[in-house]
Amino acid sequence: MERRSLLRAAVLGGTSAALGGTLWRGAAYAAPAQPGTGPYGPLGSPDTNGIRLPNGFTSRVIARSGQRVGSTSYTWHNAPDGGACYADGTGWIYVSNSEINPSGGASAVKFSSAGAITGAYRILSDTRQNCAGGKTPWSTWLSCEEVSLGYVYETDPWGTNAAVQRAAMGRFKHEAAAADPVRKVVYLTEDESNGRFYRFVPTTWGNLSSGKLQVMVAGSATSGSFTWADVPDPDGSPTATRSQVSGSKSFNGGEGCHYANDTVWFTTKGDNRVWQLNLLNNTYELAYDDSLVNGTAPLTGVDNITGASSGDLFVAEDGGTMEICVITPDDVVASFLRVDGQSGSELTGPAFSPDGTRLYFSSQRGTSGSSSGGITYEVTGPFRS
């Protein structure tokens, strides 16, 4: 579904308010319109898991750090972070990174067609602070190290094939990855206050062992045109990749990344923004800017991002009010869920089951505020299609 280029409405304190003009130009709000909280309605009272959900939705705990997953013998990892889902016959698999250093890595949970947990296992070990990542069209998981000179590791969600370090994708403080099967590239974010936005152009699509790392080149404005330039030394030593190309555009703390329909979105936590690149005409602009809604919109502390078949974007908060918020194709921002009693944590790894009826995510530090207190959840309900 085609999305508009800019937000023109935001849901504020239970009221839908229209924006006069484009958001990124700092337009003033009009008077509140009809009460509403986005496409799913208002959040209810906390359920038994402490999650506030719209009417018709339910939650369950899938895994807890340091405890066995369901009836399996596998112990779930600490600090669960980025994640994705994969079809597995009539069931599916949810993979999740571990953002601890050292050890890191990633794990997977298998589900039957009815949603019962049928297995859990390790798919990546002995790496460092695996934060976000991305799913490839050939059904592998790219797990990214959020450390200086970090690597991308290509992993097998089924745990059959050994993980492979993909050095050609560059060494920097990796965050997220998003594959674009049309242009046959993988977009990459960098979690630095002066990070860059990259794309990797593999020599052969489907094989990430070799190729070119490129960086986005653009002006300092919040909208305009952009180009790509080759990064001379993807290994980032002795000069960091973000400092090698004159005119490359700086972004304040790159986080989540999502591709769909000739568009790529990515978030920057340092300034609470969601950026949008139109890949058909090579232009960029803001899809969301917290500073221009004066802190009154529900979305604060932007982090991981994913999309639904409806065209809705789901953005998880690192901080804020511990919410996952939705940005609709009609440019409405609204709270979809809120986790109570876990203010010392962050929400991570949002991903939909293949049929779009279940949303998985984690609270990285849970109620304890410690990496050993992570909780991974499933939310089921009438998601828009």
Side-chain angles (χ1 to χ4, degrees):
M1 183 172 184
E2 183 181 357
R3 296 184 54 84
R4 289 193 213 168
S5 61
L6 296 167
L7 294 178
R8 288 173 174 81
V11 177
L12 309 174
T15 301
S16 177
L19 293 178
T22 55
L23 175 60
W24 59 272
R25 290 176 181 164
Y29 286 107
Q34 293 297 317
T37 49
Y40 292 104
L43 302 184
S45 300
D47 64 12
T48 56
N49 296 317
I51 302 178
R52 297 177 182 265
L53 293 163
N55 184 48
F57 289 85
T58 59
S59 75
R60 67 166 171 160
V61 173
I62 296 303
R64 294 180 183 270
S65 296
Q67 297 184 22
R68 292 182 178 181
V69 180
S71 60
T72 74
S73 60
Y74 184 74
T75 300
W76 197 236
H77 56 260
N78 289 347
D81 207 287
C85 281
Y86 299 80
D88 179 45
T90 57
W92 59 93
I93 296 170
Y94 176 68
V95 300
S96 170
N97 280 343
S98 176
E99 195 189 10
I100 58 174
N101 188 8
S103 297
S107 303
V109 182
K110 293 187 74 169
F111 298 87
S112 71
S113 59
I117 295 172
T118 60
Y121 45 90
R122 196 78 167 174
I123 61 172
L124 177 64
S125 300
D126 301 322
T127 54
R128 305 170 297 161
Q129 203 164 322
N130 297 77
C131 197
K135 180 180 179 179
T136 68
W138 48 94
S139 295
T140 60
W141 167 245
L142 301 180
S143 184
C144 298
E145 288 185 313
E146 189 196 358
V147 295
S148 179
L149 299 180
Y151 287 102
V152 174
Y153 289 83
E154 187 169 14
T155 68
D156 176 12
W158 287 262
T160 302
N161 299 312
V164 180
Q165 187 183 90
R166 296 304 190 190
M169 300 184 78
R171 297 193 65 187
F172 53 87
K173 202 172 183 181
H174 283 277
E175 183 70 33
D180 175 352
V182 177
R183 278 145 288 272
K184 298 182 179 179
V185 301
V186 179
Y187 303 102
L188 301 161
T189 56
E190 181 179 24
D191 193 357
E192 299 274 9
S193 60
N194 62 340
R196 299 301 194 262
F197 188 69
Y198 304 88
R199 73 175 187 179
F200 179 68
V201 187
T203 304
T204 302
W205 186 235
N207 183 343
L208 303 178
S209 62
S210 66
K212 296 185 297 184
L213 181 68
Q214 299 182 325
V215 66
M216 179 179 167
V217 176
S220 59
T222 53
S223 66
S225 61
F226 69 89
T227 58
W228 299 101
D230 293 350
V231 176
D233 297 307
D235 65 0
S237 179
T239 303
T241 54
R242 63 185 179 278
S243 302
Q244 293 181 24
V245 176
S246 176
S248 61
K249 185 169 179 61
S250 176
F251 293 98
N252 191 351
E255 289 287 340
C257 192
H258 176 68
Y259 168 85
N261 301 325
D262 297 310
T263 306
V264 62
W265 293 269
F266 64 96
T267 63
T268 50
K269 67 180 179 184
D271 47 19
N272 280 314
R273 286 172 166 173
V274 180
W275 298 83
Q276 175 178 309
L277 273 61
N278 183 324
L279 301 168
L280 293 177
N281 61 18
N282 288 334
T283 60
Y284 71 95
E285 56 197 344
L286 289 174
Y288 177 78
D289 187 352
D290 179 67
S291 69
L292 296 183
V293 293
N294 302 314
T296 52
L299 178 56
T300 303
V302 299
D303 203 296
N304 289 175
I305 185 171
T306 193
S309 59
S310 60
D312 294 332
L313 297 175
F314 286 76
V315 186
E317 290 186 335
D318 179 355
T321 52
M322 286 288 289
E323 292 185 343
I324 292 179
C325 293
V326 60
I327 303 177
T328 74
D330 295 325
D331 298 329
V332 171
V333 184
S335 303
F336 172 71
L337 65 78
R338 182 185 306 152
V339 179
D340 281 4
Q342 300 186 32
S343 59
S345 186
E346 62 183 273
L347 300 187
T348 60
F352 282 94
S353 60
D355 66 1
T357 64
R358 302 169 193 248
L359 174 67
Y360 295 91
F361 72 96
S362 294
S363 172
Q364 190 179 83
R365 296 177 291 279
T367 57
S368 69
S370 166
S371 62
S372 61
I375 309 171
T376 299
Y377 299 97
E378 174 193 86
V379 169
T380 304
F383 289 99
R384 305 201 303 169
S385 60

